[in-house]
Amino acid sequence: MPEPSRSKELPVSLLTDPVMIRACQARDFGRVFQLVKARAGIYPSTIARRCDLTPSRVGEVMAGRRQLLHMDVVERISDGLRIPGRMLGLARRSWETPQNLAVTPREPFEKPAPGDVELAAGLSEADVDSILALAADQDLSPSTLDALHSAITDYWRRDDEHGGETLRPAVVGQLRYVVGLLKEQRPTPMRDGLHSIAAELARLTGWTYFDARQYNQARAYFTEALGLAKAIDDRQFMANVLACMSLQATYQDKPGDALALVTAAQDQAWGARGTTPRVLAMLAMREAFAHATLGNHAATHTAISEAHTQFGRIDTADPDPAWVAYFDEPKLIVDTGIAHGRLGEVALAEPLIADALRREHRTNHRGRAFHAFWLARTQLHRGKVDEACHTAMDALAPAAAVGSQRVAGHLREFYEQLEPFRREPVAVAFESRLREVLPRQVSGSPRP
């Protein structure tokens, strides 16, 4: 007999209980399931059915013999038990009460907007900060926009150095603040500036979720950034967001989607006024990644050649957008090496990645760790076990300094590929150092 629809909702008294709140924050699902059973009368078999788990797995979790760590499982639990996304560190779920975040119409004297922006990622409900913001002076000046842009630049720097996990709440708060400012009637230049800043903040939020391998949330915020950029017809930034989504698709092993997204990005860039060679070079390299993931050698080499051709046309006077400044010569070289590595052309890949790594800035912990593990994997594929282990050992310090599940994923891949050489002295030394610096990466189960 089907359950009545009201039974899907957990009691408010349970959702507001400090014990339940702490269990959700810690993602202690053994405790969560016990509370749901005791306080809501939802038994393990029903929990299993709602969350698309087996009853035996639910029983193991409740007995403390198993942990649920994968993000897709966390999302299924949130949706199945109707636990609000914010309680589990997720974006607002689609079944939660939607918010009225649509942008107000422009002033009569302004040019009509291409369309109201729908913020699909689901920002959190109004709290004390939001209420106080409504009472504050909302007059803006160009210096306000400059300050917001400076904050974004600082967010990206901190993201490179430390990862985005702890940064995300501040970025989402800033995004919510800017969206609030967009609800007021403002002159066209000011509104366009706020749309641009909101788009950048939404993309940065999506990037932090992507780096944490929480792909559904990343896609939601990337889509939001796309809509905000489209509202002001910023085609270059739309190309940037589509390129991010293409890169994510390569990580999700969806090379067809990756190629379609980067092709759409290139269409936007070519159709934009003033697109710079640096932007086109970056997009060509993302195309190379997509072709390499598909295993298409000829198309990959063509895209790499296009990236280098466009990069050679860069002039210091080019009006490059701030968001593409990261694509410098070392980045071009290392991405070229990675593209060759994805094709299995490790003899070409190794010297390129090694050269770029030597030039990479020391404070970019995530980039150094990420590229060092790529170099180690390439060296291992060439049979250079000693060099590979030493390279990977050098990468452990920056990997430990930055909270990045993406870097952790590359570390686990290298660790698994080291299996045939596990008894070699250098491999034993690497594993010992790994257990000392990052023990969870050895004991934790790999993400899908």
Side-chain angles (χ1 to χ4, degrees), residues 239-250 254-270 277-310 326-327 331-332 335-336 338-340 342-343:
N240 182 28
V241 177
L242 288 164
C244 290
M245 298 176 83
S246 173
L247 183 63
Q248 176 173 309
T250 64
K254 297 178 179 179
D257 290 356
L259 184 57
L261 288 163
V262 76
T263 300
Q266 289 169 321
D267 288 345
Q268 291 293 334
W270 283 109
R278 192 183 303 272
V279 172
L280 295 175
M282 180 272 288
L283 293 175
M285 192 55 70
R286 292 289 168 86
E287 182 190 356
F289 282 177
H291 284 303
T293 308
L294 284 165
N296 190 330
H297 286 246
T300 302
H301 292 165
T302 299
I304 290 173
S305 177
E306 175 66 12
H308 283 258
T309 298
Q310 292 293 346
Y326 78 96
F327 198 79
K331 183 61 175 169
L332 173 73
D335 281 359
T336 302
I338 290 172
H340 284 300
R342 288 183 184 275
L343 285 175

Side-chain angles (χ1 to χ4, degrees), residues 376 379 384-395 414 426 429-430:
Q379 291 168 332
K384 301 178 178 180
V385 180
D386 285 9
E387 288 185 43
C389 288
H390 285 302
T391 299
M393 216 172 311
D394 290 340
F414 174 78
V426 69
F430 167 71

